[in-house]
Amino acid sequence: MTVRLLDFYADWCGPCDAQEPILEELLADYEGVELTKIDVDQDQDTANEYQVQSLPTVVVENDDGIVDRFVGVTQRPDIEDALERAGV
């Protein structure tokens, strides 16, 4: 099963910068996870599709759909729980 981590961000978003090292650390430990970074200023269609209204927004999804979504800076344990529920 494919597990994806979607990181919705913008260059001007300070909290997005704080989220970045948490996601990089997770990816280093969870090799099977695909990260897709979506700049909401460049890809508004995808942001609208996922109903992103605040930044940062992190979406964890697998082949069955969205497992969880987090709005605001989210700590590692919360994202890890979602990754495990997604099947990592």
Side-chain angles (χ1 to χ4, degrees):
M1 178 168 299
T2 304
V3 176
R4 288 173 296 282
L5 198 56
L6 307 179
D7 176 23
F8 292 90
Y9 76 99
D11 290 336
W12 47 263
C13 170
C16 297
D17 292 337
Q19 185 72 69
E20 182 81 19
I22 296 168
L23 296 178
E24 288 177 3
E25 196 177 281
L26 276 166
L27 289 173
D29 292 341
Y30 290 87
E31 292 179 8
V33 177
E34 295 177 7
L35 173 67
T36 303
K37 296 181 67 60
I38 298 135
D39 183 337
V40 297
D41 292 330
Q42 303 296 320
D43 192 351
Q44 292 180 344
D45 290 343
T46 303
N48 290 336
E49 177 186 336
Y50 282 88
Q51 301 175 342
V52 173
Q53 297 177 348
S54 298
L55 297 177
T57 294
V58 174
V59 175
V60 177
E61 68 179 7
N62 61 20
D63 297 337
D64 297 328
I66 294 174
V67 174
D68 210 340
R69 67 188 299 132
F70 304 97
V71 178
V73 176
T74 306
Q75 298 306 311
R76 179 184 172 120
D78 296 326
I79 300 173
E80 276 183 315
D81 288 346
L83 289 173
E84 288 169 18
R85 281 185 277 126
V88 174

